[in-house]
Amino acid sequence: MSLSSLRLRFLLALTALCLAAMGALGLIAHFIIHPALLEEERMLAKAELDRLERTMDSDRLALLAMVKDWATWDDTYNFMQGKHTSYTKSNFSRIMFEDMNYQFMLFFATDGSIQWTAGIDPVSDAYASCPGTVGACAWAENTAKRLRPLVRYRPDEGMAYMDITPQPVFIALYPILRTDESGPPQGWLAQIRLLDEKWQAHVENQTGLPVVLRSASQEDLRQGLRLDRPNDHLMTISRPITRVPGSESLLLQSHLPRKDFFTQLATFRYAQFWTAGLLLAVIAIVLILLESMVLRPLRQFATFTQRLQTRDDNLPCLMVCLSVGTSSARWPASFSNFWNFSADRPLPWLSSPITTR
């Protein structure tokens, strides 16, 4: 089939149009749809990390409310003045710390020294309640050292923040006052909640997302929000936490399923394939219509004219047919009927000249 063939040229033009349309869809998918889906996934990761931070802030503020309830209590105020000798026996027990989800409590005197320590050792899981940070309570000395600069600052209001050293914890500090919050302060009470596996399971139960806390490196601080996509099922999301006053640089990390991303991508690919199929169907229909309505009648007309040219005496007949005004849609049938009829027997009026006006 030569390039001068109308059918071939039309087919090449439609094929080029189809390829151009498919190329355009591919470019749209690569430069518009795929980046948009990745950005939507990034915004989803940011929203989920914000939700985790709000949950953590809620726990932090809840701990601050609890330490305030203990610190602004007449029994605690009298205990710090040495007037309530049975305070520790009547209020402290391992069951109480486990039920309230406290790790331990530190009672700071006004000079910054530890008057009493009570709680559970994070390392040995042993319960202890003793004066100071010696003997069975020596494990609390490192935390006391980290809190003494804040106590010496003599804060008038409570504070709660997150610490990472030596392990992630919430620390809440409040001045010890009377129940009506009158003073002067008799010291400061610190409550520590360990952010261990139990707390992480609690957060995951609330949010549906696993949470991991670790120290943030300089690279983490520089990158900010980070998304790692090791496979098509899960992505690891992380972001440094620097908004909590008094805290070190922490890295909040979690995992998100990528189901929404691939669902939307599959939907677009389905639409892309459907569009490609529609284009191919349109091209096929156009080719069929071209063959039945244009090319076939043209071939019949060309065959008829070639046959007339081989018979000089039939040329006037063509002029008569054209002058009668036969519609172009009926030419093939008219020419075919005429040719079949004249082939059987010559028309008598063709032997005489035709006079046109």
Side-chain angles (χ1 to χ4, degrees):
M1 187 180 294
S2 63
L3 291 177
S4 61
S5 171
L6 180 60
R7 183 190 296 108
L8 178 59
R9 285 184 291 174
F10 203 78
L11 178 61
L12 290 176
L14 290 179
T15 302
L17 178 62
C18 179
L19 292 177
M22 292 301 299
L25 288 175
L27 291 176
I28 291 173
H30 182 72
F31 291 103
I32 298 178
I33 302 300
H34 197 263
L37 292 178
L38 289 178
E39 180 62 24
E40 183 177 348
E41 193 175 51
R42 181 180 180 85
M43 296 304 296
L44 175 63
K46 181 178 180 299
E48 293 297 340
L49 287 175
D50 289 341
R51 187 158 65 96
L52 283 176
E53 283 198 45
R54 287 194 297 269
T55 302
M56 295 171 62
D57 285 343
S58 177
D59 286 354
R60 180 175 60 86
L61 295 176
L63 184 63
L64 179 61
M66 291 179 183
V67 74
K68 178 183 177 181
D69 186 61
W70 278 83
T72 56
W73 186 25
D74 287 342
D75 285 1
T76 304
Y77 194 86
N78 294 331
F79 167 70
M80 295 301 293
Q81 290 181 323
K83 300 177 181 179
H84 197 324
T85 56
S86 62
Y87 178 84
T88 58
K89 293 182 179 180
S90 60
N91 290 290
F92 298 152
S93 67
R94 183 185 183 93
I95 296 177
M96 186 276 294
F97 280 93
E98 291 177 347
D99 291 343
M100 300 300 293
N101 197 20
Y102 303 150
Q103 194 66 32
F104 58 95
M105 302 170 66
L106 297 174
F107 291 82
F108 285 89
T110 54
D111 60 357
S113 62
I114 298 295
Q115 182 166 329
W116 199 269
T117 301
I120 302 172
D121 184 358
V123 178
S124 65
D125 196 42
Y127 171 75
S129 177
C130 46
T133 54
V134 294
C137 297
W139 48 266
E141 179 59 27
N142 289 334
T143 303
K145 287 180 179 180
R146 296 177 64 84
L147 289 176
R148 281 194 181 97
L150 292 177
V151 172
R152 289 169 182 169
Y153 178 70
R154 305 181 67 85
D156 296 332
E157 297 180 355
M159 63 176 65
Y161 64 96
M162 187 186 303
D163 199 359
I164 195 69
T165 303
Q167 52 193 330
V169 293
F170 280 139
I171 298 177
L173 188 68
Y174 207 90
I176 298 175
L177 303 170
R178 295 187 178 91
T179 304
D180 59 2
E181 299 190 22
S182 60
Q186 294 301 307
W188 291 266
L189 174 59
Q191 284 185 352
I192 292 85
R193 174 174 293 169
L194 190 64
L195 305 184
D196 54 3
E197 294 181 357
K198 181 180 178 181
W199 176 84
Q200 293 175 9
H202 164 72
V203 173
E204 184 174 358
N205 184 53
Q206 282 188 311
T207 63
L209 296 173
V211 58
V212 177
L213 292 172
R214 63 177 180 84
S215 298
S217 64
Q218 292 298 321
E219 182 67 16
D220 295 328
L221 295 176
R222 186 184 62 83
Q223 288 187 351
L225 177 62
R226 180 176 176 179
L227 280 69
D228 295 322
R229 302 176 176 91
N231 53 59
D232 294 341
H233 305 290
L234 285 176
M235 65 175 177
T236 302
I237 58 176
S238 58
R239 184 174 63 188
I241 303 175
T242 57
R243 296 186 297 106
V244 181
S247 71
E248 297 183 8
S249 297
L250 308 176
L251 188 70
L252 175 62
Q253 192 176 76
S254 185
H255 302 283
L256 277 182
R258 305 192 67 195
K259 181 179 178 181
D260 292 341
F261 173 82
F262 282 98
T263 298
Q264 297 183 52
L265 187 61
T267 301
F268 174 76
R269 287 176 177 172
Y270 171 80
Q272 190 177 13
F273 292 145
W274 187 89
T275 303
L278 180 62
L279 285 174
L280 293 176
V282 169
I283 290 176
I285 293 173
V286 169
L287 290 176
I288 292 173
L289 294 178
L290 175 68
E291 175 68 25
S292 61
M293 300 181 64
V294 179
L295 296 180
R296 186 182 299 170
L298 285 178
R299 284 198 304 271
Q300 292 177 352
F301 180 71
T303 302
F304 175 73
T305 56
Q306 288 176 0
R307 290 182 179 180
L308 286 181
Q309 289 176 0
T310 59
R311 299 177 61 178
D312 295 335
D313 56 343
N314 288 342
L315 289 176
C317 178
L318 177 60
M319 299 174 61
V320 172
C321 292
L322 294 176
S323 64
V324 170
T326 304
S327 63
S328 60
R330 298 179 58 189
W331 282 356
S334 299
F335 293 150
S336 178
N337 294 335
F338 168 74
W339 178 257
N340 295 332
F341 178 78
S342 61
D344 294 337
R345 54 178 177 173
L347 293 178
W349 48 270
L350 287 175
S351 60
S352 60
I354 298 176
T355 305
T356 59
R357 298 179 181 179

